[in-house]
Amino acid sequence: RSFSFAREISYRTSRWPSGGCRVRLVVRRQATEKSVTLSPTTFAVNPNHSSFEWALASYPTRTMTTPTTVIVALDWTPNGNHLGFYVAKDRGFYKDAGLDVRLVSPHDAAYAGSYLEPDAENPSPGKYVTPCSKVADGSAHFGVNSPEGVVGWNTSGPERPRLKAVAALLFDRNTSAIVTLKSSGIDAPNKLDGCKYASYAARFEGRIVQKMIQADGGVGEFNETTPPMLGIWNTLLNGEADATWVFSQWEGCEAKLKNVELNAFPVCDYGMPYAYAPCLCAHPDWLVGNPETARAFLDATARGYKIASEDPIAAAEILVRVARTENDGHAVNPELAKASALYLQNKMIGPSGVWGVMEQRVWDDYLKWLWDAGLLTDGAQSRHPDSGKTFSLDDLRAGKAGNKIPLDQVPTVFTNDYLPTV
């Protein structure tokens, strides 16, 4: 194995009955180190004396480099979807790969105005910050996003990079749902007509919800509001909204723990062949320039998700503990973490046995559905629409969404090239 050592190495020996001896090395480390790989023939031990000679002269040494920093912008505060990242960090998988991985939660002040309500302590930075906007500007190397978000980045104007999905965090694609309070009586999507939907203000989101309503026999007319994202769930609980889109593994589990009864409309149950949610994205230029870093990170992350799927209780405990230190003291409810991990246990890794793998068919079906439904247009959402290339959310749902994008002009939106193969 490889040992790091510096100026002092001490050893102890003890005789074996056969005349050989056992050598115990105690390595004292310092800031500047060198490493060398030792094999059984690297040192010779004189069985008649408590001493040994270490033959290092013929072995080259290398100066250890500073770990490569990798920043991951999470799509939500730490939750079950992120278990593999936290397990990999806790178990030292990233460190062993020479990586210093930092997991950034959107409760960070940089997200004021998007995820957070701006205030005197956290004023708006002047731009709408999302995990993938951080990947686009280089302040993060990976970002967690929805499949419609991935499509959005690949079908926007030339000023935006074509961010690629590089891994599916979950193999199961039906773990999110539109939900209402059971007490509301809105027990089917067609009853959402005329209701208030709390939106994440994404380009395709409102129109996807509209198509779900229409698939269930409704008209698809509703009011789309855009509170700060981390407060959306509370708008439903507090009666300020009639419906919103949630992850069943988190808000769904939280509702059960709080004895809040929900009506849930899973997204794949109403005609939409949804793609992988959530998925991990990266900038294509960074991937080309840093392929080994990308592979090392994804390999270590895959190991984290494998452990999470095999021992969800331990993974939940890691999430709770590591989030405190990694995310500025953020407190994850231990019971919620456990419920989420158990819910996801069989939803992380598919039949291939390899975490993260995506199928071409899944993305093709999803893109074809978006195109057939008339959603694949070049109009982008904006809080200050110009009715040329940018539109309000109400405009988008009304069909004022720019020109339809030919399906054959949509670039490839994902790659499995950086994932482990076994």
Side-chain angles (χ1 to χ4, degrees):
R1 55 176 297 186
S2 294
F3 290 90
S4 295
F5 60 81
R7 62 176 63 169
E8 182 179 357
I9 301 175
S10 63
Y11 64 91
R12 296 178 185 275
T13 64
S14 60
R15 289 291 180 88
W16 284 337
S18 62
C21 66
R22 178 177 58 204
V23 180
R24 178 185 174 209
L25 300 180
V26 181
V27 181
R28 286 174 169 76
R29 305 177 66 181
Q30 61 183 30
T32 303
E33 303 174 343
K34 292 184 180 298
S35 66
V36 64
T37 300
L38 305 181
S39 72
T41 59
T42 304
F43 58 84
V45 177
N46 184 337
N48 298 314
H49 300 87
S50 297
S51 64
F52 67 91
E53 296 179 355
W54 206 348
L56 288 176
S58 62
Y59 284 81
T61 62
R62 62 178 175 81
T63 302
M64 292 183 69
T65 58
T66 302
T68 301
T69 298
V70 173
I71 298 174
V72 183
L74 303 178
D75 59 331
W76 207 249
T77 52
N79 64 75
N81 284 344
H82 310 141
L83 284 169
F85 299 127
Y86 285 85
V87 171
K89 189 171 181 72
D90 183 68
R91 293 292 179 90
F93 298 158
Y94 294 136
K95 184 178 180 181
D96 290 347
L99 306 176
D100 175 18
V101 173
R102 303 172 190 175
L103 306 173
V104 180
S105 166
H107 73 278
D108 185 90
Y111 291 93
S114 55
Y115 280 82
L116 301 172
E117 187 75 60
D119 55 28
E121 185 177 346
N122 297 311
S124 173
K127 58 181 180 179
Y128 196 83
V129 178
T130 67
C132 279
S133 75
K134 293 176 74 66
V135 174
D137 67 22
S139 59
H141 303 97
F142 294 94
V144 181
N145 203 348
S146 64
E148 59 269 24
V150 174
V151 174
W153 279 95
N154 282 274
T155 56
S156 296
E159 72 283 357
R160 302 183 83 190
R162 300 317 195 215
L163 305 184
K164 303 304 177 186
V166 294
L169 299 195
L170 306 177
F171 177 79
D172 190 320
R173 308 189 328 268
N174 205 22
T175 63
S176 67
I178 309 302
V179 297
T180 65
L181 297 178
K182 189 170 286 290
S183 59
S184 71
I186 305 171
D187 57 4
N190 63 51
K191 294 184 179 180
L192 287 171
D193 280 326
C195 292
K196 184 183 291 186
Y197 171 80
S199 170
Y200 300 88
R203 176 174 164 192
F204 299 107
E205 178 189 358
R207 289 181 285 171
I208 287 174
V209 174
Q210 184 180 55
K211 293 302 178 184
M212 289 176 64
I213 294 171
Q214 292 171 348
D216 196 47
V219 176
E221 295 182 355
F222 58 92
N223 180 22
E224 192 171 359
T225 64
T226 56
M229 284 188 272
L230 290 184
I232 284 179
W233 172 236
N234 287 331
T235 65
L236 179 72
L237 297 180
N238 297 336
E240 299 166 16
D242 299 305
T244 193
W245 197 334
V246 304
F247 278 112
S248 304
Q249 60 85 19
W250 201 244
E251 290 86 1
C253 288
E254 180 183 346
K256 290 181 180 178
L257 290 174
K258 291 181 175 179
N259 294 316
V260 175
E261 294 186 294
L262 299 176
N263 296 310
F265 317 130
V267 292
C268 290
D269 292 2
Y270 296 89
M272 176 177 61
Y274 205 38
Y276 301 99
C279 46
L280 192 64
C281 301
H283 197 301
D285 294 346
W286 184 84
L287 290 170
V288 170
N290 301 273
E292 295 310 312
T293 298
R295 290 190 178 96
F297 170 77
L298 290 172
D299 180 73
T301 301
R303 294 169 64 194
Y305 274 93
K306 185 174 188 298
I307 289 176
S309 67
E310 294 171 344
D311 193 348
I313 301 301
E317 292 170 351
I318 289 171
L319 175 66
V320 172
R321 174 166 45 80
V322 177
R324 289 196 191 99
T325 55
E326 182 73 8
N327 304 115
D328 302 320
H330 181 75
V332 176
N333 181 327
E335 290 304 312
L336 177 54
K338 178 180 176 181
S340 175
L342 289 171
Y343 173 89
L344 290 172
Q345 181 175 13
N346 299 317
K347 296 176 171 61
M348 302 180 202
I349 300 175
S352 71
V354 181
W355 170 83
V357 173
M358 297 169 284
E359 297 181 40
Q360 182 74 53
R361 170 190 59 80
V362 170
W363 282 107
D364 287 348
D365 289 349
Y366 181 54
L367 285 165
K368 181 67 162 51
W369 181 85
L370 289 172
W371 193 86
D372 288 343
L375 275 58
L376 200 57
T377 59
D378 60 10
Q381 78 282 22
S382 174
R383 293 173 185 265
H384 305 287
D386 61 16
S387 297
K389 285 293 184 181
T390 62
F391 303 86
S392 70
L393 296 177
D394 291 339
D395 285 339
L396 292 175
R397 294 194 319 280
K400 302 174 184 177
N403 300 313
K404 200 168 184 179
I405 300 172
L407 199 54
D408 61 3
Q409 291 184 17
V410 178
T412 300
V413 302
F414 83 102
T415 176
N416 288 322
D417 289 351
Y418 302 91
L419 290 169
T421 57
V422 293

PDB file of all heavy atoms in Angstrom, residues 156-186:
ATOM      1  N   SER A 156     -31.434  26.881 -24.852  1.00  0.00           N
ATOM      2  CA  SER A 156     -31.491  28.331 -24.662  1.00  0.00           C
ATOM      3  C   SER A 156     -30.624  29.031 -25.697  1.00  0.00           C
ATOM      4  O   SER A 156     -30.055  28.401 -26.592  1.00  0.00           O
ATOM      5  CB  SER A 156     -31.032  28.683 -23.242  1.00  0.00           C
ATOM      6  OG  SER A 156     -31.911  28.138 -22.284  1.00  0.00           O
ATOM      7  N   GLY A 157     -30.500  30.339 -25.551  1.00  0.00           N
ATOM      8  CA  GLY A 157     -29.720  31.119 -26.499  1.00  0.00           C
ATOM      9  C   GLY A 157     -28.242  30.797 -26.439  1.00  0.00           C
ATOM     10  O   GLY A 157     -27.766  30.126 -25.518  1.00  0.00           O
ATOM     11  N   PRO A 158     -27.475  31.284 -27.422  1.00  0.00           N
ATOM     12  CA  PRO A 158     -26.040  30.965 -27.510  1.00  0.00           C
ATOM     13  C   PRO A 158     -25.219  31.524 -26.362  1.00  0.00           C
ATOM     14  O   PRO A 158     -24.070  31.115 -26.171  1.00  0.00           O
ATOM     15  CB  PRO A 158     -25.624  31.596 -28.852  1.00  0.00           C
ATOM     16  CG  PRO A 158     -26.643  32.671 -29.101  1.00  0.00           C
ATOM     17  CD  PRO A 158     -27.922  32.159 -28.522  1.00  0.00           C
ATOM     18  N   GLU A 159     -25.798  32.448 -25.590  1.00  0.00           N
ATOM     19  CA  GLU A 159     -25.060  33.021 -24.475  1.00  0.00           C
ATOM     20  C   GLU A 159     -24.979  32.080 -23.275  1.00  0.00           C
ATOM     21  O   GLU A 159     -24.220  32.333 -22.335  1.00  0.00           O
ATOM     22  CB  GLU A 159     -25.717  34.344 -24.037  1.00  0.00           C
ATOM     23  CG  GLU A 159     -27.054  34.220 -23.316  1.00  0.00           C
ATOM     24  CD  GLU A 159     -28.237  33.936 -24.238  1.00  0.00           C
ATOM     25  OE1 GLU A 159     -28.025  33.894 -25.459  1.00  0.00           O
ATOM     26  OE2 GLU A 159     -29.358  33.783 -23.715  1.00  0.00           O
ATOM     27  N   ARG A 160     -25.739  30.998 -23.305  1.00  0.00           N
ATOM     28  CA  ARG A 160     -25.742  30.055 -22.181  1.00  0.00           C
ATOM     29  C   ARG A 160     -25.057  28.752 -22.579  1.00  0.00           C
ATOM     30  O   ARG A 160     -25.299  28.218 -23.666  1.00  0.00           O
ATOM     31  CB  ARG A 160     -27.177  29.746 -21.727  1.00  0.00           C
ATOM     32  CG  ARG A 160     -27.969  30.962 -21.307  1.00  0.00           C
ATOM     33  CD  ARG A 160     -29.341  30.553 -20.799  1.00  0.00           C
ATOM     34  NE  ARG A 160     -29.299  30.141 -19.401  1.00  0.00           N
ATOM     35  CZ  ARG A 160     -30.317  29.567 -18.772  1.00  0.00           C
ATOM     36  NH1 ARG A 160     -31.431  29.282 -19.437  1.00  0.00           N
ATOM     37  NH2 ARG A 160     -30.220  29.252 -17.505  1.00  0.00           N
ATOM     38  N   PRO A 161     -24.196  28.220 -21.716  1.00  0.00           N
ATOM     39  CA  PRO A 161     -23.519  26.960 -22.036  1.00  0.00           C
ATOM     40  C   PRO A 161     -24.490  25.788 -22.029  1.00  0.00           C
ATOM     41  O   PRO A 161     -25.508  25.809 -21.336  1.00  0.00           O
ATOM     42  CB  PRO A 161     -22.482  26.824 -20.919  1.00  0.00           C
ATOM     43  CG  PRO A 161     -23.062  27.597 -19.773  1.00  0.00           C
ATOM     44  CD  PRO A 161     -23.800  28.739 -20.393  1.00  0.00           C
ATOM     45  N   ARG A 162     -24.177  24.760 -22.789  1.00  0.00           N
ATOM     46  CA  ARG A 162     -25.020  23.561 -22.880  1.00  0.00           C
ATOM     47  C   ARG A 162     -24.615  22.575 -21.780  1.00  0.00           C
ATOM     48  O   ARG A 162     -23.892  21.610 -22.014  1.00  0.00           O
ATOM     49  CB  ARG A 162     -24.872  22.901 -24.251  1.00  0.00           C
ATOM     50  CG  ARG A 162     -25.243  23.755 -25.459  1.00  0.00           C
ATOM     51  CD  ARG A 162     -26.486  24.550 -25.277  1.00  0.00           C
ATOM     52  NE  ARG A 162     -27.004  25.075 -26.524  1.00  0.00           N
ATOM     53  CZ  ARG A 162     -27.603  26.250 -26.624  1.00  0.00           C
ATOM     54  NH1 ARG A 162     -27.724  27.016 -25.552  1.00  0.00           N
ATOM     55  NH2 ARG A 162     -28.111  26.654 -27.772  1.00  0.00           N
ATOM     56  N   LEU A 163     -25.043  22.845 -20.562  1.00  0.00           N
ATOM     57  CA  LEU A 163     -24.697  21.990 -19.437  1.00  0.00           C
ATOM     58  C   LEU A 163     -25.231  20.580 -19.667  1.00  0.00           C
ATOM     59  O   LEU A 163     -26.362  20.402 -20.118  1.00  0.00           O
ATOM     60  CB  LEU A 163     -25.260  22.554 -18.134  1.00  0.00           C
ATOM     61  CG  LEU A 163     -24.879  23.993 -17.781  1.00  0.00           C
ATOM     62  CD1 LEU A 163     -25.433  24.352 -16.405  1.00  0.00           C
ATOM     63  CD2 LEU A 163     -23.373  24.205 -17.846  1.00  0.00           C
ATOM     64  N   LYS A 164     -24.426  19.591 -19.332  1.00  0.00           N
ATOM     65  CA  LYS A 164     -24.791  18.196 -19.590  1.00  0.00           C
ATOM     66  C   LYS A 164     -25.075  17.448 -18.291  1.00  0.00           C
ATOM     67  O   LYS A 164     -24.377  17.624 -17.288  1.00  0.00           O
ATOM     68  CB  LYS A 164     -23.665  17.479 -20.342  1.00  0.00           C
ATOM     69  CG  LYS A 164     -23.271  18.139 -21.653  1.00  0.00           C
ATOM     70  CD  LYS A 164     -24.454  18.296 -22.613  1.00  0.00           C
ATOM     71  CE  LYS A 164     -24.058  19.018 -23.879  1.00  0.00           C
ATOM     72  NZ  LYS A 164     -25.227  19.289 -24.752  1.00  0.00           N
ATOM     73  N   ALA A 165     -26.082  16.602 -18.339  1.00  0.00           N
ATOM     74  CA  ALA A 165     -26.330  15.680 -17.229  1.00  0.00           C
ATOM     75  C   ALA A 165     -25.257  14.602 -17.287  1.00  0.00           C
ATOM     76  O   ALA A 165     -25.043  13.987 -18.331  1.00  0.00           O
ATOM     77  CB  ALA A 165     -27.715  15.063 -17.339  1.00  0.00           C
ATOM     78  N   VAL A 166     -24.595  14.377 -16.146  1.00  0.00           N
ATOM     79  CA  VAL A 166     -23.513  13.382 -16.120  1.00  0.00           C
ATOM     80  C   VAL A 166     -23.852  12.195 -15.218  1.00  0.00           C
ATOM     81  O   VAL A 166     -23.126  11.199 -15.218  1.00  0.00           O
ATOM     82  CB  VAL A 166     -22.186  14.014 -15.663  1.00  0.00           C
ATOM     83  CG1 VAL A 166     -21.699  15.038 -16.678  1.00  0.00           C
ATOM     84  CG2 VAL A 166     -22.321  14.651 -14.275  1.00  0.00           C
ATOM     85  N   ALA A 167     -24.943  12.287 -14.471  1.00  0.00           N
ATOM     86  CA  ALA A 167     -25.356  11.166 -13.616  1.00  0.00           C
ATOM     87  C   ALA A 167     -26.787  11.385 -13.157  1.00  0.00           C
ATOM     88  O   ALA A 167     -27.216  12.522 -12.928  1.00  0.00           O
ATOM     89  CB  ALA A 167     -24.444  11.025 -12.398  1.00  0.00           C
ATOM     90  N   ALA A 168     -27.520  10.304 -13.037  1.00  0.00           N
ATOM     91  CA  ALA A 168     -28.855  10.337 -12.432  1.00  0.00           C
ATOM     92  C   ALA A 168     -28.690  10.010 -10.951  1.00  0.00           C
ATOM     93  O   ALA A 168     -28.171   8.944 -10.618  1.00  0.00           O
ATOM     94  CB  ALA A 168     -29.773   9.316 -13.097  1.00  0.00           C
ATOM     95  N   LEU A 169     -29.111  10.918 -10.079  1.00  0.00           N
ATOM     96  CA  LEU A 169     -28.979  10.629  -8.653  1.00  0.00           C
ATOM     97  C   LEU A 169     -29.842   9.435  -8.259  1.00  0.00           C
ATOM     98  O   LEU A 169     -29.470   8.653  -7.387  1.00  0.00           O
ATOM     99  CB  LEU A 169     -29.360  11.842  -7.804  1.00  0.00           C
ATOM    100  CG  LEU A 169     -28.539  13.122  -7.982  1.00  0.00           C
ATOM    101  CD1 LEU A 169     -28.810  14.075  -6.829  1.00  0.00           C
ATOM    102  CD2 LEU A 169     -27.053  12.835  -8.104  1.00  0.00           C
ATOM    103  N   LEU A 170     -30.993   9.315  -8.900  1.00  0.00           N
ATOM    104  CA  LEU A 170     -31.910   8.202  -8.637  1.00  0.00           C
ATOM    105  C   LEU A 170     -32.226   7.493  -9.947  1.00  0.00           C
ATOM    106  O   LEU A 170     -32.424   8.142 -10.977  1.00  0.00           O
ATOM    107  CB  LEU A 170     -33.219   8.704  -8.011  1.00  0.00           C
ATOM    108  CG  LEU A 170     -33.134   9.568  -6.755  1.00  0.00           C
ATOM    109  CD1 LEU A 170     -34.535  10.012  -6.334  1.00  0.00           C
ATOM    110  CD2 LEU A 170     -32.430   8.833  -5.630  1.00  0.00           C
ATOM    111  N   PHE A 171     -32.329   6.181  -9.887  1.00  0.00           N
ATOM    112  CA  PHE A 171     -32.747   5.435 -11.067  1.00  0.00           C
ATOM    113  C   PHE A 171     -34.262   5.534 -11.260  1.00  0.00           C
ATOM    114  O   PHE A 171     -34.742   5.638 -12.389  1.00  0.00           O
ATOM    115  CB  PHE A 171     -32.336   3.968 -10.920  1.00  0.00           C
ATOM    116  CG  PHE A 171     -32.808   3.116 -12.066  1.00  0.00           C
ATOM    117  CD1 PHE A 171     -32.130   3.131 -13.275  1.00  0.00           C
ATOM    118  CD2 PHE A 171     -33.936   2.316 -11.950  1.00  0.00           C
ATOM    119  CE1 PHE A 171     -32.567   2.363 -14.353  1.00  0.00           C
ATOM    120  CE2 PHE A 171     -34.375   1.537 -13.012  1.00  0.00           C
ATOM    121  CZ  PHE A 171     -33.688   1.565 -14.215  1.00  0.00           C
ATOM    122  N   ASP A 172     -35.017   5.501 -10.162  1.00  0.00           N
ATOM    123  CA  ASP A 172     -36.482   5.609 -10.217  1.00  0.00           C
ATOM    124  C   ASP A 172     -36.854   7.035 -10.608  1.00  0.00           C
ATOM    125  O   ASP A 172     -36.466   8.004  -9.954  1.00  0.00           O
ATOM    126  CB  ASP A 172     -37.069   5.261  -8.848  1.00  0.00           C
ATOM    127  CG  ASP A 172     -38.584   5.112  -8.867  1.00  0.00           C
ATOM    128  OD1 ASP A 172     -39.261   5.908  -9.544  1.00  0.00           O
ATOM    129  OD2 ASP A 172     -39.084   4.198  -8.192  1.00  0.00           O
ATOM    130  N   ARG A 173     -37.640   7.190 -11.676  1.00  0.00           N
ATOM    131  CA  ARG A 173     -37.952   8.510 -12.212  1.00  0.00           C
ATOM    132  C   ARG A 173     -39.294   9.047 -11.730  1.00  0.00           C
ATOM    133  O   ARG A 173     -39.721  10.118 -12.167  1.00  0.00           O
ATOM    134  CB  ARG A 173     -37.947   8.455 -13.747  1.00  0.00           C
ATOM    135  CG  ARG A 173     -36.663   7.829 -14.293  1.00  0.00           C
ATOM    136  CD  ARG A 173     -36.510   7.948 -15.788  1.00  0.00           C
ATOM    137  NE  ARG A 173     -37.739   7.933 -16.539  1.00  0.00           N
ATOM    138  CZ  ARG A 173     -38.319   6.857 -17.044  1.00  0.00           C
ATOM    139  NH1 ARG A 173     -37.812   5.654 -16.830  1.00  0.00           N
ATOM    140  NH2 ARG A 173     -39.412   6.965 -17.755  1.00  0.00           N
ATOM    141  N   ASN A 174     -39.963   8.336 -10.843  1.00  0.00           N
ATOM    142  CA  ASN A 174     -41.309   8.751 -10.425  1.00  0.00           C
ATOM    143  C   ASN A 174     -41.355   9.044  -8.927  1.00  0.00           C
ATOM    144  O   ASN A 174     -42.301   8.676  -8.241  1.00  0.00           O
ATOM    145  CB  ASN A 174     -42.328   7.666 -10.782  1.00  0.00           C
ATOM    146  CG  ASN A 174     -43.739   8.224 -10.955  1.00  0.00           C
ATOM    147  OD1 ASN A 174     -43.925   9.416 -11.209  1.00  0.00           O
ATOM    148  ND2 ASN A 174     -44.728   7.361 -10.838  1.00  0.00           N
ATOM    149  N   THR A 175     -40.328   9.732  -8.430  1.00  0.00           N
ATOM    150  CA  THR A 175     -40.254  10.006  -6.991  1.00  0.00           C
ATOM    151  C   THR A 175     -40.645  11.438  -6.645  1.00  0.00           C
ATOM    152  O   THR A 175     -40.417  11.886  -5.530  1.00  0.00           O
ATOM    153  CB  THR A 175     -38.837   9.736  -6.456  1.00  0.00           C
ATOM    154  OG1 THR A 175     -37.911  10.628  -7.093  1.00  0.00           O
ATOM    155  CG2 THR A 175     -38.421   8.294  -6.708  1.00  0.00           C
ATOM    156  N   SER A 176     -41.228  12.148  -7.594  1.00  0.00           N
ATOM    157  CA  SER A 176     -41.751  13.482  -7.293  1.00  0.00           C
ATOM    158  C   SER A 176     -43.220  13.534  -7.694  1.00  0.00           C
ATOM    159  O   SER A 176     -43.690  12.723  -8.496  1.00  0.00           O
ATOM    160  CB  SER A 176     -40.954  14.572  -8.013  1.00  0.00           C
ATOM    161  OG  SER A 176     -41.141  14.505  -9.417  1.00  0.00           O
ATOM    162  N   ALA A 177     -43.936  14.497  -7.124  1.00  0.00           N
ATOM    163  CA  ALA A 177     -45.380  14.553  -7.358  1.00  0.00           C
ATOM    164  C   ALA A 177     -45.899  15.967  -7.137  1.00  0.00           C
ATOM    165  O   ALA A 177     -45.311  16.752  -6.377  1.00  0.00           O
ATOM    166  CB  ALA A 177     -46.106  13.589  -6.408  1.00  0.00           C
ATOM    167  N   ILE A 178     -46.986  16.283  -7.795  1.00  0.00           N
ATOM    168  CA  ILE A 178     -47.767  17.473  -7.460  1.00  0.00           C
ATOM    169  C   ILE A 178     -48.642  17.078  -6.273  1.00  0.00           C
ATOM    170  O   ILE A 178     -49.287  16.028  -6.303  1.00  0.00           O
ATOM    171  CB  ILE A 178     -48.645  17.933  -8.642  1.00  0.00           C
ATOM    172  CG1 ILE A 178     -47.803  18.055  -9.914  1.00  0.00           C
ATOM    173  CG2 ILE A 178     -49.339  19.244  -8.305  1.00  0.00           C
ATOM    174  CD1 ILE A 178     -46.632  18.988  -9.829  1.00  0.00           C
ATOM    175  N   VAL A 179     -48.644  17.882  -5.230  1.00  0.00           N
ATOM    176  CA  VAL A 179     -49.396  17.517  -4.029  1.00  0.00           C
ATOM    177  C   VAL A 179     -50.338  18.645  -3.610  1.00  0.00           C
ATOM    178  O   VAL A 179     -50.099  19.822  -3.873  1.00  0.00           O
ATOM    179  CB  VAL A 179     -48.466  17.171  -2.850  1.00  0.00           C
ATOM    180  CG1 VAL A 179     -47.610  15.952  -3.168  1.00  0.00           C
ATOM    181  CG2 VAL A 179     -47.590  18.353  -2.461  1.00  0.00           C
ATOM    182  N   THR A 180     -51.409  18.233  -2.963  1.00  0.00           N
ATOM    183  CA  THR A 180     -52.352  19.153  -2.322  1.00  0.00           C
ATOM    184  C   THR A 180     -52.637  18.607  -0.924  1.00  0.00           C
ATOM    185  O   THR A 180     -52.363  17.434  -0.637  1.00  0.00           O
ATOM    186  CB  THR A 180     -53.678  19.241  -3.100  1.00  0.00           C
ATOM    187  OG1 THR A 180     -54.332  17.962  -3.052  1.00  0.00           O
ATOM    188  CG2 THR A 180     -53.453  19.639  -4.556  1.00  0.00           C
ATOM    189  N   LEU A 181     -53.164  19.435  -0.063  1.00  0.00           N
ATOM    190  CA  LEU A 181     -53.612  18.958   1.239  1.00  0.00           C
ATOM    191  C   LEU A 181     -54.897  18.151   1.058  1.00  0.00           C
ATOM    192  O   LEU A 181     -55.799  18.564   0.319  1.00  0.00           O
ATOM    193  CB  LEU A 181     -53.862  20.125   2.187  1.00  0.00           C
ATOM    194  CG  LEU A 181     -52.652  20.999   2.559  1.00  0.00           C
ATOM    195  CD1 LEU A 181     -53.089  22.134   3.477  1.00  0.00           C
ATOM    196  CD2 LEU A 181     -51.553  20.170   3.200  1.00  0.00           C
ATOM    197  N   LYS A 182     -54.973  17.024   1.705  1.00  0.00           N
ATOM    198  CA  LYS A 182     -56.186  16.201   1.597  1.00  0.00           C
ATOM    199  C   LYS A 182     -57.412  16.990   2.050  1.00  0.00           C
ATOM    200  O   LYS A 182     -58.517  16.838   1.500  1.00  0.00           O
ATOM    201  CB  LYS A 182     -56.040  14.921   2.421  1.00  0.00           C
ATOM    202  CG  LYS A 182     -57.171  13.908   2.191  1.00  0.00           C
ATOM    203  CD  LYS A 182     -56.873  12.581   2.836  1.00  0.00           C
ATOM    204  CE  LYS A 182     -55.828  11.795   2.079  1.00  0.00           C
ATOM    205  NZ  LYS A 182     -56.307  11.286   0.776  1.00  0.00           N
ATOM    206  N   SER A 183     -57.206  17.860   3.035  1.00  0.00           N
ATOM    207  CA  SER A 183     -58.324  18.655   3.560  1.00  0.00           C
ATOM    208  C   SER A 183     -58.866  19.642   2.532  1.00  0.00           C
ATOM    209  O   SER A 183     -59.978  20.167   2.684  1.00  0.00           O
ATOM    210  CB  SER A 183     -57.887  19.417   4.807  1.00  0.00           C
ATOM    211  OG  SER A 183     -56.795  20.283   4.518  1.00  0.00           O
ATOM    212  N   SER A 184     -58.124  19.902   1.444  1.00  0.00           N
ATOM    213  CA  SER A 184     -58.567  20.860   0.432  1.00  0.00           C
ATOM    214  C   SER A 184     -59.652  20.299  -0.464  1.00  0.00           C
ATOM    215  O   SER A 184     -60.373  21.056  -1.132  1.00  0.00           O
ATOM    216  CB  SER A 184     -57.381  21.284  -0.433  1.00  0.00           C
ATOM    217  OG  SER A 184     -56.965  20.204  -1.276  1.00  0.00           O
ATOM    218  N   GLY A 185     -59.756  18.971  -0.515  1.00  0.00           N
ATOM    219  CA  GLY A 185     -60.723  18.359  -1.423  1.00  0.00           C
ATOM    220  C   GLY A 185     -60.235  18.284  -2.850  1.00  0.00           C
ATOM    221  O   GLY A 185     -60.940  17.768  -3.729  1.00  0.00           O
ATOM    222  N   ILE A 186     -59.032  18.781  -3.116  1.00  0.00           N
ATOM    223  CA  ILE A 186     -58.469  18.720  -4.477  1.00  0.00           C
ATOM    224  C   ILE A 186     -57.769  17.376  -4.605  1.00  0.00           C
ATOM    225  O   ILE A 186     -56.570  17.240  -4.375  1.00  0.00           O
ATOM    226  CB  ILE A 186     -57.487  19.886  -4.711  1.00  0.00           C
ATOM    227  CG1 ILE A 186     -58.153  21.226  -4.419  1.00  0.00           C
ATOM    228  CG2 ILE A 186     -56.945  19.866  -6.141  1.00  0.00           C
ATOM    229  CD1 ILE A 186     -57.209  22.415  -4.419  1.00  0.00           C
TER     230      ILE A 186
END
